[in-house]
Amino acid sequence: MHQQHELEDAMRRALQLAGNGPAEGVNPRVGCVILSPAGDILAEGWHRGAGTCHAEVDALAHLDADAARGTTAVVTLEPCNHTGRTGPCALALIEAGVAHVVYAVADPGPHSSGGADRLRAAGVDVTGGVLADEAQAFLADWLVSARLGRPHVTVKWASSLDGRAAAADGSSRWITGPAARQDVHERRAAADAILVGTGTALADDSALTARAADGTLLARQPRPVVVGRRPVPAGAAVHRHPLTPWFLPGHDLTALLHELHGRGIRRVFVEGGPTLASAFVRAGLVDEYLVYLAPTLLGGDRLALGDIGVTGITEQRRLRIGQLLRLGDDLLLVAQPAGAEGPGADQTDHIDQTTRAIPAALNQTN
């Protein structure tokens, strides 16, 4: 039997391997390490995207016949138990003669879960939860997508210390400094799509691209999505984005997210002004908050958030601070809903089913 530290070391390596897989699309990034009874790494594998071998099968393919018998497979996600474009990984491990399977996070998919039970029924020793926190952080966007059938939603805003997103005349460039702005661009690049309302698209005329400090485009770009009914002129900057923008009229945020999920969007970056941000908060559809705070005071009524459905202190939306970062003179708070027990945990206690609709004010300038 392997020591705990050996399994954790192998799991960290499996997480590294998982990072080689594509960050976009509907499939998770998964890594697998095959250990000999003595603890040596015999094979490694990872999932390269839809239609390709899953990580476990990829690792097994590097071994000769019967070489996996009696080994331990360390995999970042519970082996799947369904047949899609490829067969069930649980069955592949059983047929290869793997004696022990270690995984970090259970598969939440209604059609793909159950691999651990199938392995145990076949006499395979199964251990779950090894480096679960690290794996959940790595798979956060996919776990939300798999559990809820919608993309992981990050809402971002920048504000003064007194919570204002703009001065009284509406001007907002620039509240934060260059280090904070560059951090935003790098986080944009990590998303599959960036959402703004039509009011913000018209007022700011942003290209919604992810750029380096010198203004050049980063290698990976988010899909620009403009939400609302007001037409965006053909000459608007968003039309010059490397990816064709999507214009979605949507009234219902849940339906909007399900549509994006159906188009292969797994991580959404909401940067579209107070109206759109407030609508997502009010609907209880935010998985992560990015709040950039500048050491300045603006006063006035240009708040970073508007009505989020809180009428009394007992209805406040409590958050859990995950990170507090210094970016030049500015601060970045990374937070999650306090009621969320992990990626994709449904915040139903905070959701008013009547407030999921995008307000008509979205079409106004934010």
Side-chain angles (χ1 to χ4, degrees):
M1 194 71 172
H2 298 291
Q3 298 295 315
Q4 183 69 17
H5 70 86
E6 292 179 316
L7 298 180
E8 291 180 355
D9 287 346
M11 187 64 75
R12 289 190 180 92
R13 175 57 182 162
L15 285 167
Q16 289 179 336
L17 294 168
N20 293 327
E24 65 278 352
V26 298
N27 294 95
R29 292 184 290 172
V30 181
C32 178
V33 171
I34 306 293
L35 296 178
S36 72
D40 298 319
I41 293 180
L42 299 180
E44 299 178 335
W46 66 88
H47 184 44
R48 291 167 172 79
T52 66
C53 292
H54 289 191
E56 300 93 319
V57 175
D58 184 43
L60 291 171
H62 292 86
L63 297 176
D64 295 332
D66 296 326
R69 197 162 299 279
T71 61
T72 294
V74 179
V75 60
T76 55
L77 183 67
E78 177 189 4
C80 69
N81 190 36
H82 82 299
T83 300
R85 296 188 188 181
T86 59
C89 293
L91 179 60
L93 293 166
I94 292 168
E95 292 179 340
V98 171
H100 186 196
V101 172
V102 178
Y103 66 89
V105 179
D107 189 333
H111 303 296
S112 55
S113 60
D117 290 339
R118 184 171 187 174
L119 288 162
R120 290 189 183 98
V124 178
D125 187 25
V126 179
T127 302
V130 175
L131 296 189
D133 289 346
E134 293 180 31
Q136 283 191 355
F138 176 77
L139 287 169
D141 56 347
W142 181 82
L143 288 170
V144 167
S145 181
R147 288 170 178 161
L148 303 181
R150 64 161 176 81
H152 178 281
V153 175
T154 294
V155 167
K156 164 263 174 182
W157 68 79
S159 74
S160 60
L161 287 182
D162 55 346
R164 270 60 181 178
D169 63 357
S171 59
S172 61
R173 295 187 179 182
W174 295 101
I175 292 177
T176 56
R181 297 199 297 271
Q182 188 55 44
D183 186 79
V184 170
H185 282 280
E186 291 170 4
R187 292 176 188 271
R188 281 184 179 183
D192 296 327
I194 178 170
L195 266 66
V196 299
T198 51
T200 295
L202 294 169
D204 294 349
D205 195 29
S206 172
L208 303 182
T209 51
R211 302 182 296 277
D214 62 3
T216 58
L217 296 179
L218 296 178
R220 190 170 185 272
Q221 293 292 320
R223 172 76 61 177
V225 180
V226 181
V227 182
R229 293 191 174 277
R230 294 175 66 187
V232 176
V238 69
H239 289 289
R240 297 191 291 275
H241 194 286
L243 301 178
T244 302
W246 294 344
F247 297 94
L248 303 179
H251 290 289
D252 186 300
L253 288 179
T254 301
L256 172 71
L257 290 177
H258 283 307
E259 178 172 351
L260 292 174
H261 182 260
R263 296 189 184 196
I265 300 299
R266 192 166 73 192
R267 180 175 283 271
V268 165
F269 195 82
V270 179
E271 199 177 350
T275 302
L276 188 60
S278 300
F280 271 95
V281 176
R282 187 166 59 251
L285 293 172
V286 182
D287 303 296
E288 179 183 58
Y289 293 84
L290 300 178
V291 182
Y292 294 84
L293 291 175
T296 188
L297 302 172
L298 292 175
D301 58 0
R302 300 277 184 165
L303 297 173
L305 283 183
D307 177 19
I308 59 171
V310 174
T311 58
I313 197 65
T314 59
E315 299 171 351
Q316 62 183 301
R317 307 298 181 95
R318 298 290 300 181
L319 304 181
R320 181 181 67 251
I321 304 298
Q323 287 181 293
L324 180 59
L325 305 175
R326 181 78 178 260
L327 299 170
D329 291 331
D330 305 312
L331 293 177
L332 167 61
L333 279 74
V334 182
Q336 295 80 33
E341 298 176 357
D346 196 359
Q347 300 110 43
T348 52
D349 289 344
H350 303 289
I351 298 176
D352 179 349
Q353 298 295 334
T354 67
T355 62
R356 289 181 179 271
I358 301 174
L362 179 61
N363 290 312
Q364 302 172 3
T365 299
N366 288 320

